Amino acid sequence: MSLVVMKFGGTSVEDATAIARTAGIVAGRVAQGKKPVVVVSAMSKVTDQLLACAAAASRGDRTGALAISQRLRCRYRDTAAALLKDHKRLAALQTSIEHEFDALDEVLRGLAVILELTPRISDLIVSYGERLSSYMIAQAFDEMGMHGVHVDAREVIITDSQYQKAIPLDDLIEERCALHIKPHLDAGSVPVMGGFIGSNEAGITTTLGRGGSDFTGALIGGALHAEAIEIWTDVNGIMTTDPRICPDALRVRVVSFEEAAELAYFGAKVLHPATILPAVRRNIPVLVLNSRNPTNEGTRIISLAPHCKSPFKCIAVKKKLTIIDVVASRMLMTHGYLKAIFDIFDKHQCPVDMVSTSEVSVSLTVDSNDKLPAIAADLGKLADVKYEGQKALVCMVGEDIRGQMGISAQVFTAIKHINVRMISQGASEINMSFMIEESDVEEAVKSLHAHFFRDPDPEIFDVEARAATV
Ligand code: ADP
Ligand code: ASP
Ligand code: MG
């Protein structure tokens, strides 16, 4: 059975027109004899708005929270009305939309009394985005003659109880896929489920972290041994850098799993970092495709990418980082110093991105977060501590930098007018990363892009697209 998982992001389901386009893409796969399992995000911006609702309610702003929820309710009502023609089906869908929003409003009213937004309640509130979009899209597919059936992702994506960044439990997910998805495929239906959300073994709603629908797609693909996992988004694939920074970014035709993981981890928003794991485990190719331009061949992520003449495939940027400098002259020549420092980060459950050390000082970077004052206070018991926010990490990725001479010189010459705060190369042989001020990001990326992608390898990059725009 040629099973393919198709994940559509927020912009691919943002309104009735986008959903109809998405349906056309899925129908195209069915016509090719494939069996799709469809994973959808919430409609674009809905997750942010649900989080804003939750924040308002937890501040006691009941009216503000209910007003946002009311606007969302209207958006879903209008989309449903534009999407479905069959009156009976539409009436049933409208009834469930009203029920879901009534339930959400109940939670918001309760929260406005309790005034405490726990991660568990946050996950419950935010889950409405994917619950509603997936239900509505399943109805639309069914009306369009594709036998769409809704599958509640919380019955399938079983996770631990770390709300807001739950860890999936692979064996249980595999069992649940066999139980809740496979029979629909055997019956010739198209299962449609929400991404991002799941539940723990007790049935309490959890989420996989922001951008987590990609991860859901990969988990389902892995559990069902899909022949491919397709990530449908609003750009032509993985580009040489974020096209919002460099409009002349080029599509990368093919990258390795290792390169894609590195890119995603270091800030290329196009893919959730964990997406690659289930695919690697089963060696399932992942394709990143554009739902607004479905005939474009996108980016193929495979285990071994072909050799590329250019050293780098892509430049990723991660903003909102803080550099922490720890200087401990009194610990000179003592051992256990780094351990003591990392124990503090561990205690505060704060992941560290980059580290650079000398005999007495250590610089670390972390996502800017509200635990920093407490972390600095703990570090202050061991050493002198300074921390500074509004930093950004620029990460250049490419398998072909392994062992190449003179690459660092080229990188730092291209940005010689920019102040570099920290450098890291070597931990992973396929990336070169450095920290700069957030305000220098655009200039740095443009300069690096102009230098390294001036004469791109046509086997790896879509150079025709650039030619077409010049
Ligand atoms: P979706 O809602 O489909 O999940 P996202 O907004 O999460 O889409 O990711 C797609 C966006 O990622 C693009 O619109 C683009 O601006 C951004 N992006 C950042 N870096 C890259 C990159 N290297 N290649 C492609 N897109 C990138
Ligand atoms: N809707 C969720 C988010 O915006 C998950 C996703 O779209 O991947 O983070
Ligand atoms: Mg995304």
Side-chain angles (χ1 to χ4, degrees), residues 53-316:
C53 267
S58 66
R59 285 194 304 270
D61 179 9
R62 178 172 176 271
T63 318
L66 293 175
I68 304 174
S69 150
Q70 181 62 24
R71 280 200 294 278
L72 285 173
R73 190 190 287 248
C74 292
R75 181 168 169 199
Y76 276 94
R77 275 183 193 152
D78 293 349
T79 309
L83 207 51
L84 298 185
K85 310 236 158 12
D86 181 307
H87 291 299
K88 243 169 105 185
R89 189 193 289 273
L90 176 60
L93 175 59
Q94 296 288 27
T95 308
S96 18
I97 291 175
E98 300 307 322
H99 278 172
E100 292 287 4
F101 275 101
D102 290 347
L104 171 65
D105 288 352
E106 276 305 294
V107 179
L108 293 173
R109 285 192 195 95
L111 186 55
V113 175
I114 300 166
L115 300 176
E116 192 198 349
L117 180 59
T118 59
R120 172 173 163 172
I121 298 293
S122 176
D123 276 358
L124 173 66
I125 292 175
V126 93
S127 72
Y128 280 91
E130 269 73 8
R131 282 155 67 173
L132 283 154
S133 64
S134 55
Y135 187 70
M136 184 162 72
I137 291 165
Q139 294 296 322
F141 282 12
D142 203 38
E143 190 175 284
M144 290 167 194
M146 260 194 294
H147 301 292
V149 280
H150 181 244
V151 172
D152 187 339
R154 295 169 302 167
E155 306 264 8
V156 181
I157 301 294
I158 308 302
T159 69
D160 70 3
S161 299
Q162 289 184 60
Y163 299 104
Q164 297 183 316
K165 49 172 186 314
I167 311 283
L169 304 175
D170 293 337
D171 292 347
L172 289 176
I173 293 174
E174 202 154 323
E175 273 172 28
R176 299 297 182 99
C177 278
L179 205 62
H180 298 293
I181 297 185
K182 187 99 187 346
H184 293 308
L185 291 170
D186 293 341
S189 302
V190 176
V192 182
M193 60 188 279
F196 175 55
I197 60 175
S199 75
N200 65 13
E201 285 179 82
I204 315 279
T205 301
T206 57
T207 66
L208 301 173
R210 293 304 308 266
S213 294
D214 298 342
F215 193 13
T216 306
L219 288 167
I220 298 293
L224 287 168
H225 303 254
E227 67 166 29
I229 297 162
E230 299 179 349
I231 306 289
W232 290 85
T233 181
D234 61 350
V235 281
N236 278 344
I238 296 184
M239 314 290 283
T240 45
T241 194
D242 188 340
R244 285 171 301 189
I245 301 179
C246 277
D248 62 343
L250 295 163
R251 173 172 64 90
V252 189
R253 295 180 197 277
V254 55
V255 297
S256 66
F257 283 132
E258 222 187 321
E259 287 169 329
E262 206 86 352
L263 284 173
Y265 183 68
F266 288 107
K269 190 191 172 200
V270 65
L271 215 58
H272 183 283
T275 305
I276 302 297
L277 302 174
V280 174
R281 213 167 292 147
R282 301 213 191 272
N283 203 8
I284 302 171
V286 177
L287 290 118
V288 182
L289 297 157
N290 188 351
S291 66
R292 293 172 188 189
N293 185 12
T295 53
N296 189 289
E297 62 183 17
T299 299
R300 202 173 169 79
I301 309 173
I302 53 176
S303 53
L304 282 179
H307 169 71
C308 172
K309 283 191 215 130
S310 337
F312 296 112
K313 299 262 174 54
C314 184
I315 308 171

